[in-house]
Amino acid sequence: MALLAPPIPSQLPEFAQHYLSRTKQLYIDGKFVDAQSGKTFPVFNPATGEILAEVAEGDVADINLAVAAARRAFESKAWSGLPPSQRARLIDKLADKLEERLEDFALLESLDNGKPLAVARVADVPMSVDNLRYMAGWATKILGDSIPIAGDFHAYTRREPIGVVGQIIPWNFPLLMAAWKLGPALAAGCTIVLKPAEQTPLSALLLAEIAAEVGFPPGVLNVVPGYGETAGAALAEHPDVDKVAFTGSTEVGKIIVRAAAGNLKKVTLELGGKSPNIIFADADVAQATQGAAFGIFFNMGQCCTAGSRLFVERSVFDEVTHGIAAAAKAMNVGHGLDARTDIGPLVSDEQLARVTGYIESGIAEGARTLSGGARVGDRGYFVEPTVIVDAKPHMKIMREEIFGPVVAATPFDDPNEILGAANDTVYGLAAGVWTKDVSKAHKVAAALRAGTVWVNCYNVFDPALPFGGFKQSGWGREMSHNALECYTETKSVVVKL
Ligand code: NAI
Ligand code: MG
């Protein structure tokens, strides 16, 4: 598979040249500051493997400062004490500014993560804007209940902000994950320390810049890039953090839970997946084939919802798998800024090694590639979109999250037995069902143990829809009013009449 060559740095758009050449500092208490240690860390361009930028490296000392700033902002009620409509107004302004700067954010996201610029323009940035706007609307609608109880009492509940929250996010949708987390926390009146992934801290830092411009009070939003084992761990275990929200690997999710035990901070988790995508023979097969390809290849497969286990009714198995293989072969692999690119690089050399390692392990265990399977080129972190067949349920590629453009397809004969196979996973984030039979669609949707089920579609998200995992895919829900609940405490007030 041929690789489209990346542009040389001097050909980058002016904003990117300017932004990348500037010092990138931590954002704490309304100011951009160096790390206490004075250290910086390199951020790589995944299309070339070269250093894209140096960023101040937050560590325990910086997390302590950021948490203290967030605590002061919380206790002073500089944020939670504003009239809800003013909180809404500021979140809206942040969304407006983000929309104005869409092109700059899309560019940074593409350079930092590797994803096609065209995708960042139509998905990452507008969806982030949408999420902030949706959550701004909730700021004025956080209600308690008036509850009739026995005796001469007036009883009611109040929903109050949880307090200082730590938010640790991954690199697959850096800006969108920040927006998913910040929106409900800000609407609820919490103050925040956000730690972006070490692979992709740039868009969160630009977001901090525009938050400062629109006038968020100091300390309400702090952004501290750094490594997980240092900055992330310090935030998760900090005794003065009231809640930690995490998106990332299930392995680190478990570490977060243990770290949170010290002060029993509240925890929400959005973790990995091994989502089943089931195509019945009575589906619109062409549409299902296209949907299955999108379900696994979107964002180079670096989606927690990736439809990585494809189950296809035997009579249409060859048609579907050859269709996906053909779609894969037709995809252009290249640099995110090239308009022809369908598949960009994976985010890091670590992910490249992980994904190619899974493909090799599948083949070693007896599976076979119908298309793809190899690294593309010898610089940057590119992998061919890959279709694997003959995988068995016990194989690692069927059990563990690959997080790359790799789908394992399995035929089935008995539609009644497919649910057992589909639910045979420790994960439960998402699932897909393709059929024209309405009754079957709803029955299967009900039987799948997953937080989201897509019927005749895949990867459809909306800020109004709860998103999260069953089983080891997580705790709590993001987006929707459910997310707000995860950033508030309920207080019962009882008044003797
Ligand atoms: P990770 O779980 O290590 O990283 C996610 C975030 O957690 C980053 O901000 C990282 O700095 C932070 N982190 C790491 N160790 C930490 C610790 N001990 N304490 C606190 N924070 C910590 O994920 P990684 O290593 O980048 O990717 C490994 C695998 O995780 C991927 O191959 C994929 O399977 C899965 N993953 C799932 C994501 C999802 O959206 N559910 C997103 C990213 C990765
Ligand atoms: Mg890790």
Side-chain angles (χ1 to χ4, degrees), residues 58-69:
D59 201 335
V60 186
D62 311 285
I63 290 291
N64 287 343
L65 289 175
V67 171

mmCIF file with all atom_site columns, all heavy atoms in Angstrom, residues 58-69:
data_model
loop_
_atom_site.group_PDB
_atom_site.id
_atom_site.type_symbol
_atom_site.label_atom_id
_atom_site.label_alt_id
_atom_site.label_comp_id
_atom_site.label_asym_id
_atom_site.label_entity_id
_atom_site.label_seq_id
_atom_site.pdbx_PDB_ins_code
_atom_site.Cartn_x
_atom_site.Cartn_y
_atom_site.Cartn_z
_atom_site.occupancy
_atom_site.B_iso_or_equiv
_atom_site.pdbx_formal_charge
_atom_site.auth_seq_id
_atom_site.auth_comp_id
_atom_site.auth_asym_id
_atom_site.auth_atom_id
_atom_site.pdbx_PDB_model_num
ATOM 1  N N   . GLY A 1 58 ? 4.076  18.865 33.523 1.00 0.00 ? 58 GLY A N   1
ATOM 2  C CA  . GLY A 1 58 ? 3.477  18.919 34.854 1.00 0.00 ? 58 GLY A CA  1
ATOM 3  C C   . GLY A 1 58 ? 3.812  17.672 35.650 1.00 0.00 ? 58 GLY A C   1
ATOM 4  O O   . GLY A 1 58 ? 3.974  16.586 35.094 1.00 0.00 ? 58 GLY A O   1
ATOM 5  N N   . ASP A 1 59 ? 3.935  17.859 36.958 1.00 0.00 ? 59 ASP A N   1
ATOM 6  C CA  . ASP A 1 59 ? 4.303  16.766 37.847 1.00 0.00 ? 59 ASP A CA  1
ATOM 7  C C   . ASP A 1 59 ? 3.528  16.965 39.155 1.00 0.00 ? 59 ASP A C   1
ATOM 8  O O   . ASP A 1 59 ? 2.659  17.837 39.229 1.00 0.00 ? 59 ASP A O   1
ATOM 9  C CB  . ASP A 1 59 ? 5.819  16.858 38.070 1.00 0.00 ? 59 ASP A CB  1
ATOM 10 C CG  . ASP A 1 59 ? 6.397  15.530 38.530 1.00 0.00 ? 59 ASP A CG  1
ATOM 11 O OD1 . ASP A 1 59 ? 5.639  14.731 39.106 1.00 0.00 ? 59 ASP A OD1 1
ATOM 12 O OD2 . ASP A 1 59 ? 7.601  15.317 38.326 1.00 0.00 ? 59 ASP A OD2 1
ATOM 13 N N   . VAL A 1 60 ? 3.888  16.211 40.187 1.00 0.00 ? 60 VAL A N   1
ATOM 14 C CA  . VAL A 1 60 ? 3.155  16.296 41.452 1.00 0.00 ? 60 VAL A CA  1
ATOM 15 C C   . VAL A 1 60 ? 3.047  17.745 41.942 1.00 0.00 ? 60 VAL A C   1
ATOM 16 O O   . VAL A 1 60 ? 1.964  18.196 42.345 1.00 0.00 ? 60 VAL A O   1
ATOM 17 C CB  . VAL A 1 60 ? 3.870  15.445 42.544 1.00 0.00 ? 60 VAL A CB  1
ATOM 18 C CG1 . VAL A 1 60 ? 3.024  15.411 43.814 1.00 0.00 ? 60 VAL A CG1 1
ATOM 19 C CG2 . VAL A 1 60 ? 4.122  14.047 42.028 1.00 0.00 ? 60 VAL A CG2 1
ATOM 20 N N   . ALA A 1 61 ? 4.158  18.478 41.882 1.00 0.00 ? 61 ALA A N   1
ATOM 21 C CA  . ALA A 1 61 ? 4.169  19.846 42.418 1.00 0.00 ? 61 ALA A CA  1
ATOM 22 C C   . ALA A 1 61 ? 3.175  20.741 41.666 1.00 0.00 ? 61 ALA A C   1
ATOM 23 O O   . ALA A 1 61 ? 2.487  21.574 42.274 1.00 0.00 ? 61 ALA A O   1
ATOM 24 C CB  . ALA A 1 61 ? 5.575  20.434 42.314 1.00 0.00 ? 61 ALA A CB  1
ATOM 25 N N   . ASP A 1 62 ? 3.096  20.560 40.359 1.00 0.00 ? 62 ASP A N   1
ATOM 26 C CA  . ASP A 1 62 ? 2.190  21.393 39.557 1.00 0.00 ? 62 ASP A CA  1
ATOM 27 C C   . ASP A 1 62 ? 0.738  20.991 39.773 1.00 0.00 ? 62 ASP A C   1
ATOM 28 O O   . ASP A 1 62 ? -0.157 21.842 39.808 1.00 0.00 ? 62 ASP A O   1
ATOM 29 C CB  . ASP A 1 62 ? 2.564  21.267 38.076 1.00 0.00 ? 62 ASP A CB  1
ATOM 30 C CG  . ASP A 1 62 ? 4.049  21.464 37.871 1.00 0.00 ? 62 ASP A CG  1
ATOM 31 O OD1 . ASP A 1 62 ? 4.497  22.620 37.951 1.00 0.00 ? 62 ASP A OD1 1
ATOM 32 O OD2 . ASP A 1 62 ? 4.778  20.468 37.693 1.00 0.00 ? 62 ASP A OD2 1
ATOM 33 N N   . ILE A 1 63 ? 0.522  19.679 39.909 1.00 0.00 ? 63 ILE A N   1
ATOM 34 C CA  . ILE A 1 63 ? -0.841 19.208 40.217 1.00 0.00 ? 63 ILE A CA  1
ATOM 35 C C   . ILE A 1 63 ? -1.280 19.794 41.564 1.00 0.00 ? 63 ILE A C   1
ATOM 36 O O   . ILE A 1 63 ? -2.415 20.261 41.710 1.00 0.00 ? 63 ILE A O   1
ATOM 37 C CB  . ILE A 1 63 ? -0.898 17.660 40.227 1.00 0.00 ? 63 ILE A CB  1
ATOM 38 C CG1 . ILE A 1 63 ? -0.731 17.109 38.808 1.00 0.00 ? 63 ILE A CG1 1
ATOM 39 C CG2 . ILE A 1 63 ? -2.198 17.152 40.873 1.00 0.00 ? 63 ILE A CG2 1
ATOM 40 C CD1 . ILE A 1 63 ? -1.877 17.371 37.846 1.00 0.00 ? 63 ILE A CD1 1
ATOM 41 N N   . ASN A 1 64 ? -0.371 19.824 42.538 1.00 0.00 ? 64 ASN A N   1
ATOM 42 C CA  . ASN A 1 64 ? -0.719 20.395 43.847 1.00 0.00 ? 64 ASN A CA  1
ATOM 43 C C   . ASN A 1 64 ? -1.126 21.859 43.711 1.00 0.00 ? 64 ASN A C   1
ATOM 44 O O   . ASN A 1 64 ? -2.123 22.293 44.311 1.00 0.00 ? 64 ASN A O   1
ATOM 45 C CB  . ASN A 1 64 ? 0.452  20.267 44.825 1.00 0.00 ? 64 ASN A CB  1
ATOM 46 C CG  . ASN A 1 64 ? 0.640  18.834 45.283 1.00 0.00 ? 64 ASN A CG  1
ATOM 47 O OD1 . ASN A 1 64 ? -0.263 18.001 45.144 1.00 0.00 ? 64 ASN A OD1 1
ATOM 48 N ND2 . ASN A 1 64 ? 1.817  18.523 45.811 1.00 0.00 ? 64 ASN A ND2 1
ATOM 49 N N   . LEU A 1 65 ? -0.380 22.616 42.915 1.00 0.00 ? 65 LEU A N   1
ATOM 50 C CA  . LEU A 1 65 ? -0.724 24.034 42.713 1.00 0.00 ? 65 LEU A CA  1
ATOM 51 C C   . LEU A 1 65 ? -2.075 24.179 42.020 1.00 0.00 ? 65 LEU A C   1
ATOM 52 O O   . LEU A 1 65 ? -2.894 25.037 42.380 1.00 0.00 ? 65 LEU A O   1
ATOM 53 C CB  . LEU A 1 65 ? 0.356  24.730 41.875 1.00 0.00 ? 65 LEU A CB  1
ATOM 54 C CG  . LEU A 1 65 ? 1.701  24.969 42.573 1.00 0.00 ? 65 LEU A CG  1
ATOM 55 C CD1 . LEU A 1 65 ? 2.711  25.541 41.584 1.00 0.00 ? 65 LEU A CD1 1
ATOM 56 C CD2 . LEU A 1 65 ? 1.516  25.920 43.760 1.00 0.00 ? 65 LEU A CD2 1
ATOM 57 N N   . ALA A 1 66 ? -2.288 23.344 41.004 1.00 0.00 ? 66 ALA A N   1
ATOM 58 C CA  . ALA A 1 66 ? -3.540 23.433 40.236 1.00 0.00 ? 66 ALA A CA  1
ATOM 59 C C   . ALA A 1 66 ? -4.735 23.051 41.113 1.00 0.00 ? 66 ALA A C   1
ATOM 60 O O   . ALA A 1 66 ? -5.793 23.697 41.058 1.00 0.00 ? 66 ALA A O   1
ATOM 61 C CB  . ALA A 1 66 ? -3.462 22.536 39.005 1.00 0.00 ? 66 ALA A CB  1
ATOM 62 N N   . VAL A 1 67 ? -4.568 22.013 41.930 1.00 0.00 ? 67 VAL A N   1
ATOM 63 C CA  . VAL A 1 67 ? -5.667 21.598 42.803 1.00 0.00 ? 67 VAL A CA  1
ATOM 64 C C   . VAL A 1 67 ? -5.952 22.704 43.825 1.00 0.00 ? 67 VAL A C   1
ATOM 65 O O   . VAL A 1 67 ? -7.115 23.019 44.116 1.00 0.00 ? 67 VAL A O   1
ATOM 66 C CB  . VAL A 1 67 ? -5.352 20.250 43.503 1.00 0.00 ? 67 VAL A CB  1
ATOM 67 C CG1 . VAL A 1 67 ? -6.389 19.939 44.583 1.00 0.00 ? 67 VAL A CG1 1
ATOM 68 C CG2 . VAL A 1 67 ? -5.304 19.119 42.469 1.00 0.00 ? 67 VAL A CG2 1
ATOM 69 N N   . ALA A 1 68 ? -4.885 23.328 44.339 1.00 0.00 ? 68 ALA A N   1
ATOM 70 C CA  . ALA A 1 68 ? -5.090 24.412 45.313 1.00 0.00 ? 68 ALA A CA  1
ATOM 71 C C   . ALA A 1 68 ? -5.838 25.584 44.664 1.00 0.00 ? 68 ALA A C   1
ATOM 72 O O   . ALA A 1 68 ? -6.737 26.176 45.277 1.00 0.00 ? 68 ALA A O   1
ATOM 73 C CB  . ALA A 1 68 ? -3.743 24.876 45.868 1.00 0.00 ? 68 ALA A CB  1
ATOM 74 N N   . ALA A 1 69 ? -5.495 25.892 43.416 1.00 0.00 ? 69 ALA A N   1
ATOM 75 C CA  . ALA A 1 69 ? -6.184 26.978 42.702 1.00 0.00 ? 69 ALA A CA  1
ATOM 76 C C   . ALA A 1 69 ? -7.650 26.627 42.473 1.00 0.00 ? 69 ALA A C   1
ATOM 77 O O   . ALA A 1 69 ? -8.554 27.455 42.648 1.00 0.00 ? 69 ALA A O   1
ATOM 78 C CB  . ALA A 1 69 ? -5.483 27.249 41.369 1.00 0.00 ? 69 ALA A CB  1
#
